[in-house]
Every structure is written in C-alpha cells, then in structure tokens.
Amino acid sequence: MKESSKLQSEENKVSNDKNKKRKLKTQSQLFALETFYDEHKYPTEEMKAELAEKLRLTEKQISGWFCHRRLKDKRLMKDEAVANGRQDRSSGVIQDRGSGLGQDSCGSSKHADYRYLDAKEVESHDFYNNEISVADMTHRHRSHYPENVSAVDDTSSESSSFLQERAFAQGQDPYDMEPSRHLTPNGALPPLNPKGAVNLGYKPSGYLKVKGEIEHAAITAVKKQLGRHYEEDGPLLGIEFDPLPPGAFECQTEDPANETFCVANPPLLNSPEISAAKKHNLSSRYDSHYTKFNSQDLHVERADFGSLHESDFQDKQDKKARQNIKQRQPYYGYTNHVSGRNPFPDLYEDSTGEASGYNSAKNHRMSTKHGVEGMRSDSASNHSDHFEEKLAVKTKDLMLHGYDKINPKRIQKSGHVKSKPSSSIRSSRVPVDTEERGLSARMAKEEMIKVEQKAKNTYRDVDGAGRLSNEILVAKRAKVDMLQQYHVKPSPVAEMEKRKIHRSAAEMPSSFSEDETAETSSSLDY
DNA sequence: TTGTGTTTTATTGCCTCC
DNA sequence: GGAGGCAATAAAACACAA
C-alpha cells in the first residue's frame, strides 16, 4: 500500500511537474501537427478535437499550437518581407503583396483588400467556395505549374498537388491550397464545416471575383520581390554571378532537354546516381550535413520504426532527433519543419496501435484516393483521412527515397534566414530614409553579394525531404514564369518519376511492393 | 561547464464576429 | 456574452560558442 501510494504521489508529482512546466511536443506530434497545418492553417473544432485525441493533447494545446504556428509563419513572412523589402526599396506594399499575406491575418485581413489575401482567406475560400470547379482548379494548377503538367491527373490533383502544396505551402499565395481533395464527386467543394464557415464568415464572391487578379498580383509581386535584382533571362543587372561549377544546373539524367526542372529536384540530388563530385558541386556546403547522416543515424531511425510504442524510448529519440535535426540543418527556408522529423516513431504515442493502424490503412486509402468513392461527405473524416494519407505518404516517401533526405528545421541557425530575425537580417534593417537616400557603394556591394548568394542558394538548396524552401519556391515560381515566357520545355515529371521509381526499387524496403511504390511515387511530384 | 541567444510552449488580454 | 483569433509576454528547453 505504501509503495503504491508512494508511487502515486510520485506520479502526481511528475504529473504536476508536467502540467506546471511546459512540455515540448514530441516529434511525432509535431510531425502530425505540421502535416495538418500544411493543409489546414485554421482547423475547425472537429479537426482540433480529432487531432487532440489522436495526439493525446488537449484541444487547448492544439489551438495554441496552431495559433503560435500561424504567428510563426507570419513572423517569418514578415522577416522575409523585411529582407526582401530591403532589396526592393519601393515600399512595403509590394512586400505585402509579394508575401501573399496580409499584415494581420486575423482581424483586418478578413475584410481586407483581396490583394492582401492571406492563407486563411485563401484556404477558407477554397474550402467553402462551392463555385470553384475541378476544371477551374485544374486550370489554376496547370496554368501555374507547367512543370507538372505531364504528371497531372485530371481526376485527382492530389498526386500532382502534393508537391505543389509542399513546395508552395505556407500561404504564399492563393495557389497553395489543394483543392481537389475537398471536391465532391460533382466537382463542387463541399462546405467543410457549417459552423466554421459561419464563424469565418468568408464570402466566396469576393475571391472569385478577383481570382484572376489575385493570380496576376501574386505572380507579379513575387517577380517584383525578385525583380529589382534579376532579369528574367539572366543575372541581376550589373551583377555577375560567380561561374557555377560545371554541371551544377545539369539534370542528372540523360535527357538534357529536360534538365530544366531537375535543378531543384530533391530526389535527384539525393540520388545515388549522382556522383559525389557532382553532389559536391551542387551543394558542397551541405555536404557535411549529408555525410553527417551516417549509417548509425539510419540505424537508429530505422530502429525507431520498429519501436512504435515505446514512449520512453521515443522521448529519448525525440530529444536525440531534435538535436540531430538542429545540427543537420542543411540550409535555410522554413516551409517544412516536418519532413526531417522522424516520421516513424509512435505516431500518436499511444499504445493502441494507432500508428500501425494508419500504416495499414494507408494502402487502401492510397489506392482509393484518386476515386471519388474515397471522399466522404463528412468533412472531418475527410480531412482526417487525407491527413492520414499524407502522413503515410510522407512516411513512405522517406523510406523510399532514403533517410538522407530527412531534414527538418532548416531555417534557423543557417545564418541566412531565421525564424527570428537573424543578426544579418536585423543588422540589415536599415532605416528607410537612409535607404531612400540611396545605398552607399559599400551597401550596394554587400547587397549584391547577398543577392548573388541568394540566387545561388536558390538553385542549389534542396530540402532533404523534397520540400523547397521559401526562397526556392519564389525562385522556382519565377522560373516557371520564365519558362512560360520562353516556352521552355519542362521536364516531364512522369519521366522523372519513372527513373525515380526504378532507382528507388533497389533502395526500398522489401516489404513494399512495386505497385505500392509506383502508386506512392506517382503521388509525389518530386 | 557555463553563459548567452534562440526556439518553443503556455498564458493572458484584447479584438472581432456572431 | 461566447468563441475564436492574434499579440505580447514569460518561461522552459535547447543550441552553441567560449
């Protein structure tokens, strides 16, 4: 009795301590949260409840996390805008437009001018707007992501948009959101949650009315953000880039005509087919990161996969992984804090086998996700399912394409762009009046160097998990624009996928069938 | 090992909308 | 007035240089 009471008191003590002290989310929780956040920046109550239940967190924690996550996004956007705004001395208007985010994503932006649409608005419009058709969405995606045209499945933008949403996540612009998964069989977007719709109170008309203009404005804004310092067909005016190493921009394929989009193709970068020399050329400064990811790490992470429900072990692994993650940050960019985190541990940290349940369920979900039968009218379930799909896909993708892609928080500490204003950024916050008076020669030189470096990084840095950093996204989109302008033939993603699948077949765990692999790969437009 | 800086989490207050 | 959101703040956890 004494023993038990003692134990109990200790447990209470621990519990109290846990309650008292803030507790870091585990990797798996963060993974789930981030994944969910990628899709829904403003989850409904049902979503939160479901998420809370699955993650063993309180709804309050979920809400708080999302709130802080949005703030984080916003802060990052702001920092980036500040950094970019320094390049573009014109004004903050461009910054706001360029970021695609309103200054205040909650209050003011709800009724703000469409030019300041933020992720919230866009998402809400996408969710609640019943007037947007599949064709419309498809057109939107196609018209803006020509590189994926060949791989776009009309019946499901899930496959093609997976990368897109990753690549263009974080509410950069209205194209971020995946539309089709919310489509009903008749092509209309079902109301997600009447209450949520009411609460949010977004009227579709405004967005629809200006959609075209938004697209134009967003693209224009991005261009403008870059525009001061780049020409569409070359380096910045008056700036000469360092000569890139030979083959740095070459596609690692035998089809030079398709090299265009191989530049930032993560799988290729991580492909064993790429020689070490070329890898070095491509990302020499990140070599240390990749080499750090040694076999021991792989062993550990694979071991994680096999110990789904060992929470204690998980906590330790979480800590270790956090450490590793932060030490391995290969480059900056903030879009994905998820991918690098070990996706395999006890996903929801309970002992109910939920994680394995998701794994087993994914096959069915993946096999049916392209069909309308896989869609439910139940919005919460629908979102949840899709969320689970994504978790499964992400997990499997990591397995298929190697752990060396694992990369989490790349942003901070990189010395370029940090969540918080880096010292460089902070120090770069030159008073406007000073800037307006004109940059001194020295400042201009520094500016050029930074821009140059940025441009290089844009083409060099590739997220380990296949997501592109914000800057890459901007660059990529700008590149898409350029391609559209000059009718450059994009790399057929399908072809790349074929190669990737072929390559991955040797790497993938034997437990995965070819069909499964192909299916998975087809849903990932890396 | 320690000090410092950064990130993440939790709390509180205020605002807006219904 | 309640709900949901953001902003500000504090504090814990973490990373890293000295």
Side-chain angles (χ1 to χ4, degrees):
Chain A
M1 267 319 258
K2 269 190 176 181
E3 285 292 320
S4 61
S5 61
K6 190 180 176 182
L7 268 174
Q8 206 167 11
S9 63
E10 282 186 358
E11 282 179 1
N12 288 337
K13 190 181 175 182
V14 171
S15 175
N16 289 335
D17 284 345
K18 282 185 179 178
N19 290 334
K20 197 170 108 182
K21 290 186 177 182
R22 73 183 187 91
K23 193 186 175 191
L24 291 178
K25 307 282 187 296
T26 65
Q27 260 197 292
S28 49
Q29 287 171 330
L30 286 172
F31 179 86
L33 286 167
E34 290 280 2
T35 305
F36 201 94
Y37 179 78
D38 277 354
E39 292 194 36
H40 312 301
K41 299 199 167 30
Y42 292 83
T44 63
E45 268 188 75
E46 286 86 352
M47 294 179 190
K48 286 177 187 172
E50 195 173 350
L51 206 51
E53 186 182 357
K54 286 179 178 176
L55 300 181
R56 293 293 175 90
L57 296 170
T58 65
E59 290 187 44
K60 195 177 178 182
Q61 283 178 303
I62 299 293
S63 296
W65 187 89
F66 273 87
C67 182
H68 289 117
R69 189 63 183 78
R70 288 190 295 266
L71 288 174
K72 184 182 171 186
D73 261 3
K74 191 175 173 182
R75 194 174 59 238
L76 289 168
M77 291 290 184
K78 197 175 175 181
D79 291 342
E80 196 168 321
V82 168
N84 290 334
R86 216 173 111 260
Q87 297 174 11
D88 189 338
R89 288 170 286 159
S90 52
S91 75
V93 175
I94 295 298
Q95 297 170 24
D96 284 344
R97 293 182 184 183
S99 68
L101 291 172
Q103 189 59 32
D104 185 350
S105 62
C106 176
S108 58
S109 69
K110 285 181 180 176
H111 308 290
D113 187 294
Y114 66 87
R115 290 169 295 183
Y116 302 94
L117 276 174
D118 62 5
K120 180 181 180 179
E121 272 199 314
V122 172
E123 180 177 25
S124 301
H125 282 301
D126 271 356
F127 280 174
Y128 307 128
N129 181 0
N130 293 334
E131 300 176 41
I132 301 178
S133 67
V134 176
D136 188 8
M137 287 302 189
T138 304
H139 173 73
R140 281 171 59 186
H141 279 278
R142 284 193 171 186
S143 59
H144 291 283
Y145 303 111
E147 73 273 30
N148 285 327
V149 164
S150 62
V152 168
D153 178 359
D154 278 343
T155 60
S156 170
S157 65
E158 157 91 0
S159 58
S160 61
S161 63
F162 184 81
L163 169 66
Q164 291 166 7
E165 76 170 349
R166 251 135 203 72
F168 299 95
Q170 303 305 324
Q172 284 276 348
D173 66 17
Y175 322 127
D176 290 351
M177 307 307 167
E178 266 189 28
S180 65
R181 65 175 175 278
H182 305 299
L183 297 177
T184 60
N186 63 7
L189 285 164
L192 173 65
N193 179 350
K195 185 184 176 188
V198 168
N199 285 342
L200 291 171
Y202 294 115
K203 308 293 188 293
S205 56
Y207 174 70
L208 280 179
K209 283 179 183 173
V210 302
K211 186 160 68 75
E213 295 176 55
I214 292 172
E215 290 170 357
H216 176 72
I219 293 172
T220 304
V222 171
K223 282 185 175 181
K224 282 192 175 183
Q225 281 201 335
L226 295 172
R228 283 297 177 94
H229 297 279
Y230 87 100
E231 292 180 307
E232 293 198 336
D233 58 349
L236 315 186
L237 286 170
I239 294 178
E240 286 189 18
F241 287 155
D242 287 344
L244 287 166
F249 277 10
E250 284 181 11
C251 174
Q252 307 302 320
T253 70
E254 298 178 1
D255 185 2
N258 294 331
E259 69 184 10
T260 309
F261 283 96
C262 296
V263 170
N265 195 328
L268 290 175
L269 285 178
N270 294 283
S271 163
E273 293 176 3
I274 302 177
S275 69
K278 284 197 174 183
K279 271 190 178 179
H280 181 80
N281 284 340
L282 284 168
S283 56
S284 58
R285 77 182 172 122
Y286 305 123
D287 276 359
S288 58
H289 158 68
Y290 290 113
T291 52
K292 274 184 190 172
F293 225 172
N294 55 26
S295 57
Q296 192 178 0
D297 291 329
L298 297 187
H299 176 75
V300 169
E301 307 232 5
R302 287 175 196 275
D304 280 356
F305 190 41
S307 58
L308 287 177
H309 308 302
E310 300 170 19
S311 56
D312 288 344
F313 180 70
Q314 168 59 23
D315 283 341
K316 291 175 183 175
Q317 288 301 317
D318 281 337
K319 285 185 179 178
K320 182 182 178 183
R322 282 176 195 271
Q323 262 188 320
N324 289 339
I325 282 164
K326 294 204 173 184
Q327 288 169 353
R328 290 173 192 155
Q329 294 159 2
Y331 77 114
Y332 56 88
Y334 76 91
T335 45
N336 183 9
H337 301 254
V338 176
S339 340
R341 289 174 181 150
N342 184 355
F344 304 127
D346 47 339
L347 197 52
Y348 298 117
E349 293 194 8
D350 59 20
S351 55
T352 62
E354 260 187 297
S356 57
Y358 279 96
N359 285 337
S360 61
K362 72 186 176 189
N363 291 340
H364 170 70
R365 288 177 179 135
M366 289 178 67
S367 63
T368 58
K369 68 182 176 183
H370 294 299
V372 292
E373 71 273 13
M375 299 180 180
R376 301 184 207 165
S377 57
D378 178 357
S379 61
S381 301
N382 199 1
H383 290 299
S384 174
D385 276 3
H386 188 76
F387 166 59
E388 292 157 15
E389 276 180 25
K390 285 198 152 189
L391 283 175
V393 168
K394 274 191 176 182
T395 298
K396 196 193 279 184
D397 180 55
L398 284 167
M399 295 184 71
L400 291 175
H401 300 297
Y403 293 76
D404 58 344
K405 287 174 60 182
I406 291 180
N407 157 36
K409 309 150 69 174
R410 319 150 266 195
I411 324 174
Q412 319 104 331
K413 317 276 183 187
S414 64
H416 293 275
V417 175
K418 299 183 179 181
S419 292
K420 263 197 172 181
S422 66
S423 55
S424 60
I425 291 179
R426 267 179 265 158
S427 63
S428 70
R429 286 179 180 170
V430 181
V432 175
D433 55 341
T434 304
E435 289 196 11
E436 286 176 350
R437 274 186 239 122
L439 295 171
S440 66
R442 182 181 168 185
M443 288 175 65
K445 188 178 179 181
E446 289 176 356
E447 190 78 13
M448 289 177 182
I449 291 171
K450 285 178 182 175
V451 171
E452 179 181 349
Q453 188 61 45
K454 191 174 178 178
K456 287 180 187 174
N457 293 337
T458 295
Y459 290 102
R460 183 190 299 159
D461 301 340
V462 175
D463 179 298
R467 284 179 78 177
L468 305 174
S469 75
N470 240 20
E471 299 194 9
I472 293 177
L473 306 186
V474 172
K476 186 177 179 182
R477 200 169 300 170
K479 194 171 184 178
V480 169
D481 291 338
M482 286 191 282
L483 289 169
Q484 283 178 317
Q485 275 197 331
Y486 296 102
H487 307 291
V488 177
K489 181 186 174 187
S491 173
V493 179
E495 280 297 312
M496 298 198 298
E497 286 303 316
K498 281 181 187 174
R499 290 188 286 271
K500 187 175 70 180
I501 292 167
H502 179 72
R503 182 171 57 251
S504 301
E507 307 166 1
M508 75 177 129
S510 57
S511 58
F512 286 98
S513 69
E514 284 184 18
D515 289 343
E516 194 178 1
T517 308
E519 193 174 322
T520 304
S521 300
S522 68
S523 66
L524 301 170
D525 284 341
Y526 289 120

